[in-house]
Amino acid sequence: MSMAKGAGMQETTARIRKFRDERDWKKFHDPKNLAASISIEAGELLELFQWMTGDEATRFAAEHRERVSEEIADVAIYLIELADITGIDLAQAIDAKLEKNAAKYPVEKSRGVWTKYTDLK
């Protein structure tokens, strides 16, 4: 199931639905189970980097690109499906959240610091 480069979100969502529906898995894919699956897959992604320094993790990601890519894809597949079954336009939700974050983290106060927005001065 290779996907053409640059395939849009709608095409990707349709491919995920088709994969799921061919296997009759929709009955298992309710919001709670999908949210749990996102967390589980994110844990598997995190496990790849467990105990590494930032530099080691960067090197590992470059040297094990396929493994990292597969775990990222697992998280994304469940996330896209969760957005789909809840009727959330993922691209629109991302845009809205970026706008909110831009207001919470103005460049002049947050550039180069990790401080939470409630503590920015």
Side-chain angles (χ1 to χ4, degrees):
M1 239 166 126
S2 70
M3 195 162 64
K5 266 195 173 192
M9 186 62 71
Q10 290 178 340
E11 182 182 333
T12 300
T13 301
R15 292 173 64 88
I16 292 167
R17 269 191 224 127
K18 182 177 188 290
F19 180 88
R20 177 201 64 207
D21 293 347
E22 286 175 342
R23 288 152 183 83
D24 191 27
W25 288 350
K26 188 173 183 180
K27 59 189 166 199
F28 306 119
H29 290 197
D30 59 71
K32 182 210 55 95
N33 286 337
L34 289 169
S37 295
I38 291 165
S39 182
I40 291 163
E41 294 299 341
E44 290 180 12
L45 175 61
L46 181 58
E47 185 180 28
L48 295 177
F49 302 105
Q50 188 175 19
W51 312 119
M52 293 181 189
T53 65
D55 288 342
E56 289 168 338
T58 299
R59 235 181 351 271
F60 180 88
E63 292 169 3
H64 299 89
R65 189 173 172 82
E66 186 174 347
R67 273 180 77 194
V68 173
S69 175
E70 287 178 359
E71 295 302 339
I72 289 171
D74 284 341
V75 173
I77 288 166
Y78 285 129
L79 179 65
I80 291 166
E81 189 179 359
L82 179 58
D84 183 43
I85 69 161
T86 57
I88 293 170
D89 180 317
L90 186 55
Q92 189 175 56
I94 291 168
D95 287 344
K97 185 61 175 172
L98 285 171
E99 283 183 35
K100 230 180 206 183
N101 286 349
K104 287 200 283 191
Y105 294 96
V107 172
E108 61 277 1
K109 290 184 178 182
S110 59
R111 185 172 181 80
V113 297
W114 54 261
T115 309
K116 187 172 177 172
Y117 71 94
T118 53
D119 296 327
L120 286 175
K121 306 221 187 270

